[in-house]
């Protein structure tokens, strides 16, 4: 039990008396008693949410950041307005209803109506993500907006619809800037963002969100990823720099008004909030709840567990809302993000452990397939740092996941071919891209499933592979604990261990008995501010 009179410290060092830690293991949990001296980095406590969200949103719209007029002052009858909205990939898990996007849209749409603006369309900014279903859009925007606007004036963008995508020009780096035609031809483009990590928002919202393969290929490639020193630190991310160049060009040509919302990290409701707390702070009742939950999960088929987890929304609260000019808005949002997620950490570790959960940005209501496990480990979790990675160069990364060989044929059809046809030939990103990227991107069957079904674009598995490029080049080895088969870890190029003890012994054989060991206790997500 913790002493509540002491200030909360998210960085702990285990003792002989410390409880075992739990780790996410796909749709299950593993527990392990790590050795005394192990450093564990937990998330900060959730920031206090804003009580009156409506008032905060209205204030932001009427008091914009940067050199732009308030939203109401830009509106007049007869104008054409497009509202772009972040898609289902954020936040994770989806938040309880009403979604913050619904609250922003309700106020913005009323303001448009009050000023006689009738030509309004809302487009879900998918880029190359899968189309959202009608029920998913309805959950995101609320039934009233959905019933009034869907599907004629509220719809998914289609990045493969040549008639409705246009090029605005080229940046000084030769990057062609492509965007949804409706947005380009509007008198005003409003972007409604949901932000819960620093990688999201800013120039990336439109630079990537409203573009297609012809633009995205300029930054979603191995070279740009390798030059990115943490996706979470925009100043040091080549990925963000490319989006910034494109975004600045878009802002020069279009009238853009950004609305960004920052969420806290309250992923669990009050009954499960203990899962975000250090195990040594748990009460006896918390421990009993966890054991009961773990026991129940073990008895359920995987599909039932997956279905259950995808139906549990997060209890996120709004901690900031800002509107106006892209750059000025995003600076304010980033301040909130760092305040919520950044945890100061002294020094790197030889060995770092993290558990891989059931969900990533690309499998909401779907399966966490092997490529998504890899991108979660070496893409997202690896990049959860500012300053320098939590794992030393050449260090060992230990992850926990069953690594089942399962794919969703409706959401990830091109992933299946990539995994079974391309990866057996090579794991080299540059070779994969050179030999097959264009073929997959232009495959008419994949394009049809992307446009008419709910499939990710044919090129998407390549982007997932590239996304892990800087993590792959930094770590010396990855050891996966608890894989159900040998071929998935082997195809990823990973070592395999049946237990955490075995994995730690393998790491000790390489780094010696005096190695540093850190457990990053994701989720809720932690960004290590490594000094």
């Amino acid at each position: 039990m913790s002493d509540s009179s002491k200030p909360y410290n998210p960085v702990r060092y285990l003792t002989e008396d410390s409880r075992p830690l739990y780790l996410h293991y796909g749709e299950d949990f593993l527990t392990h008693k790590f050795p005394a001296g192990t450093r564990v980095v937990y998330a900060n406590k959730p920031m206090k949410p804003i009580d009156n969200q409506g008032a905060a949103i209205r204030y932001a719209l009427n008091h914009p950041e940067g050199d732009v007029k308030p939203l109401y002052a830009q509106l007049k009858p007869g104008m054409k307005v497009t509202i772009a909205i972040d898609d289902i990939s954020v936040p994770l898990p989806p938040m309880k209803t009403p979604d913050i996007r619904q609250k922003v849209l309700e106020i913005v749409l009323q303001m448009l109506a009050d000023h006689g603006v009738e030509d309004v369309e809302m487009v879900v900014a998918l880029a190359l993500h899968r189309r959202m279903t009608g029920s998913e859009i309805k959950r995101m925007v609320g039934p009233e907006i959905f019933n009034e606007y869907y599907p004629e004036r509220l719809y998914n963008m289609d990045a493969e619809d040549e008639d409705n995508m246009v090029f605005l020009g080229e940046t000084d780096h030769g990057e062609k800037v492509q965007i949804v035609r409706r947005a380009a031809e509007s008198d005003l483009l409003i972007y409604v963002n949901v932000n819960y990590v620093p990688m999201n928002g800013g120039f990336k919202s439109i630079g990537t969100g409203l573009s297609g393969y012809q633009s995205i290929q300029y930054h979603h490639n191995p070279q740009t990823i390798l030059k990115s020193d943490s996706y979470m630190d925009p100043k040091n991310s080549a990925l963000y720099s490319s989006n910034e160049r494109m975004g600045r060009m878009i802002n020069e040509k279009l009238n853009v008004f950004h609305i960004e919302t920052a969420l806290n990290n309250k992923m669990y409701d009050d009954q499960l909030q203990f899962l975000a707390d250090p195990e040594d702070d748990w009460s006896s009742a918390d421990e009993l709840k966890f054991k009961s939950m773990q026991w129940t999960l073990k008895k359920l088929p995987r599909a039932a567990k997956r279905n259950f987890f995808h139906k549990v929304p997060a209890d996120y609260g709004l901690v900031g809302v800002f509107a106006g000019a892209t750059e000025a808005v995003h600076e304010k949002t980033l301040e909130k993000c760092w305040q919520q997620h950044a945890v100061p950490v002294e020094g790197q570790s030889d060995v770092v452990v993290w558990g891989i959960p059931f969900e990533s940005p690309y499998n909401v209501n779907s399966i966490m397939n092997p490529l998504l496990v890899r991108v979660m480990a070496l893409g997202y979790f690896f990049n959860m740092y500012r300053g320098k990675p939590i794992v030393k160069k050449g260090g060992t990364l230990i992850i926990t996941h069953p690594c089942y060989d399962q794919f969703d044929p409706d959401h990830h059809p091109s992933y299946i071919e990539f995994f079974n046809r391309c990866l057996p030939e090579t794991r080299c990103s540059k070779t994969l891209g050179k030999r097959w990227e264009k073929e997959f991107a232009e495959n008419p069957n994949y394009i049809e499933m992307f446009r008419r079904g709910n499939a990710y674009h044919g090129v998407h598995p390549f982007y997932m592979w590239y996304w892990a490029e800087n993590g792959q080049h930094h770590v010396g080895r990855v050891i996966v604990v608890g894989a159900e088969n040998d071929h998935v870890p082997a195809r990823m190029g990973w070592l395999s261990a049946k237990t955490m003890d075995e994995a730690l012994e393998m790491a000790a054989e390489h780094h010696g008995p005096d190695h540093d060991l850190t457990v990053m206790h994701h989720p809720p997500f932690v960004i290590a501010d490594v000094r």
Side-chain angles (χ1 to χ4, degrees):
M1 294 270 309
S2 66
D3 181 351
S4 59
S5 64
K6 293 182 179 178
Y8 173 71
N9 182 5
V11 181
R12 306 289 179 93
Y13 287 87
L14 301 183
T15 68
E16 296 289 351
D17 297 328
S18 291
R19 284 177 167 142
L21 306 183
Y22 85 87
L23 297 163
H24 283 267
Y25 174 67
E27 292 81 1
D28 284 284
F29 298 113
L30 293 182
T31 53
H32 184 77
K33 186 169 177 59
F34 285 87
T38 299
R39 181 174 63 177
V40 189
V41 183
Y42 294 91
N44 290 320
K45 294 287 188 184
M47 291 169 60
K48 185 178 184 303
I50 295 170
D51 290 331
N52 192 335
Q53 296 183 357
I57 294 166
R58 289 187 181 87
Y59 183 89
L61 300 179
N62 294 335
H63 301 81
E65 308 292 336
D67 187 22
V68 297
K69 294 178 180 177
L71 182 58
Y72 70 82
Q74 300 194 40
L75 306 178
K76 58 185 178 182
M79 71 187 304
K80 179 189 285 190
V81 174
T82 297
I83 305 173
I85 317 164
D86 273 346
D87 75 348
I88 200 171
S89 62
V90 289
L92 292 177
M95 63 191 301
K96 287 182 177 177
T97 56
D99 189 291
I100 191 62
R101 282 163 287 207
Q102 175 185 335
K103 294 196 170 185
V104 173
L105 289 172
E106 287 173 346
I107 293 170
V108 169
L109 289 170
Q110 185 61 56
M111 189 177 289
L112 294 175
D114 291 344
H115 289 78
V117 180
E118 297 179 346
D119 188 355
V120 179
E121 292 189 11
M122 286 172 278
V123 55
V124 182
L126 298 174
L128 303 179
H129 294 176
R130 71 167 175 88
R131 288 159 49 87
M132 289 178 67
T133 66
S135 61
E136 289 169 340
I137 294 175
K138 185 176 184 179
R139 185 185 186 282
M140 179 173 75
V141 303
E144 289 190 13
I145 293 175
F146 182 84
N147 292 337
E148 183 175 350
Y149 289 89
Y150 183 86
E152 288 79 12
R153 295 192 292 154
L154 167 62
Y155 48 84
N156 293 295
M157 66 169 279
D158 180 355
E160 286 292 343
D161 182 354
E162 294 182 1
D163 292 338
N164 285 306
M165 297 292 290
V166 295
F167 287 97
L168 293 181
E170 287 186 16
T171 69
D172 57 3
H173 282 59
E175 300 147 321
K176 294 179 181 176
V177 179
Q178 185 188 30
I179 191 171
V180 172
R181 179 182 294 279
R182 164 77 196 193
E185 295 178 350
S186 290
D187 299 303
L188 176 63
L189 171 59
I190 301 171
Y191 198 99
V192 178
N193 152 276
V194 180
N195 210 302
Y196 78 124
V197 290
M199 187 188 77
N200 300 330
F203 288 110
K204 179 173 175 285
S205 290
I206 298 176
T208 293
L210 288 180
S211 65
Y213 178 62
Q214 300 304 325
S215 275
I216 293 174
Q217 62 181 303
Y218 288 103
H219 43 73
H220 278 51
N221 57 62
Q223 297 82 3
T224 304
I225 298 299
L226 267 180
K227 293 176 184 173
S228 296
D229 188 9
S230 181
Y231 306 145
M232 302 301 158
D233 188 359
K235 292 179 181 175
N236 292 304
S237 169
L239 181 72
Y240 188 80
S241 296
S242 178
N243 275 283
E244 182 174 350
R245 290 189 292 272
M246 292 181 173
R248 289 191 187 284
M249 167 173 279
I250 292 168
N251 285 9
E252 287 173 4
K253 295 178 178 290
L254 308 182
N255 182 21
V256 177
F257 191 86
H258 265 264
I259 304 169
E260 293 198 345
T261 60
L263 303 179
N264 68 11
N265 66 351
K266 195 169 187 304
M267 185 169 287
Y268 307 107
D269 63 17
D270 292 341
Q271 286 297 313
L272 295 178
Q273 184 56 31
F274 71 94
L275 290 172
D277 296 332
E279 287 83 346
D280 282 343
D281 293 354
W282 288 4
S283 66
S284 298
D286 293 335
E287 192 170 11
L288 188 61
K289 275 194 286 189
F290 177 77
K291 287 181 177 178
S292 175
M293 187 166 58
Q294 190 179 30
W295 183 87
T296 303
L297 288 171
K298 283 181 179 176
K299 302 297 181 187
L300 290 174
R302 178 167 292 143
K305 287 184 279 196
R306 183 177 296 141
N307 189 47
F308 166 75
F309 277 120
H310 281 293
K311 290 184 182 303
V312 179
D315 199 20
Y316 297 124
L318 178 70
V319 295
V321 54
F322 308 99
T326 308
E327 197 164 19
V329 166
H330 198 49
E331 283 181 8
K332 293 282 186 179
T333 306
L334 287 177
E335 287 177 15
K336 292 293 182 184
C337 282
W338 292 121
Q339 195 177 347
Q340 176 62 86
H341 299 295
V343 174
V345 176
E346 294 293 336
Q348 299 170 289
S349 274
D350 300 300
V351 182
V352 175
V353 179
W354 48 64
I356 305 297
F358 67 97
E359 191 170 50
S360 80
Y362 313 111
N363 75 304
V364 178
N365 299 324
S366 183
I367 298 169
M368 185 85 158
N369 65 54
L371 299 180
L372 297 179
V373 172
R374 180 178 183 268
V375 78
M376 203 65 186
L378 291 167
Y380 286 98
F381 281 177
F382 171 79
N383 280 279
M384 288 284 183
Y385 72 89
R386 181 169 62 173
K388 46 192 173 184
I390 188 69
V391 60
K392 292 177 182 174
K393 178 72 174 174
T396 296
L397 179 61
I398 299 175
I399 65 171
T400 57
H401 195 273
C403 286
Y404 36 74
D405 185 357
Q406 294 181 15
F407 293 81
D408 185 326
D410 294 325
H411 286 191
H412 305 115
S414 63
Y415 281 56
I416 299 171
E417 183 179 0
F418 180 90
F419 182 77
N420 290 294
R421 176 187 168 208
C422 304
L423 280 187
E425 297 281 336
T426 180
R427 290 191 292 271
C428 173
S429 292
K430 292 180 181 177
T431 303
L432 286 162
K434 187 175 180 181
R435 289 180 63 179
W436 290 297
E437 180 186 308
K438 197 168 188 292
E439 175 194 329
F440 275 59
E442 297 178 354
N443 182 311
N445 292 321
Y446 291 145
I447 289 176
E448 190 66 11
M449 286 186 275
F450 170 72
R451 296 191 65 190
R452 317 292 179 200
N454 296 103
Y456 282 82
H457 194 275
V459 79
H460 209 258
F462 290 84
Y463 290 170
M464 293 299 93
W465 196 261
Y466 305 158
W467 204 256
E469 192 74 357
N470 55 4
Q472 181 68 53
H473 277 254
H474 183 87
V475 304
R477 66 208 52 74
V478 177
I479 303 172
V480 58
V481 174
E484 294 177 349
N485 57 69
D486 295 330
H487 70 276
V488 168
R491 200 162 294 180
M492 298 291 116
W494 296 345
L495 302 172
S496 191
K498 294 186 181 305
T499 65
M500 182 61 72
D501 280 332
E502 182 183 346
L504 292 173
E505 288 174 11
M506 292 165 67
E509 286 174 6
H510 184 84
H511 296 286
D514 297 325
H515 64 271
D516 305 305
L517 173 61
T518 295
V519 177
M520 296 296 291
H521 209 285
H522 301 294
F525 303 117
V526 184
I527 299 177
D529 225 345
V530 184
R531 298 167 178 168

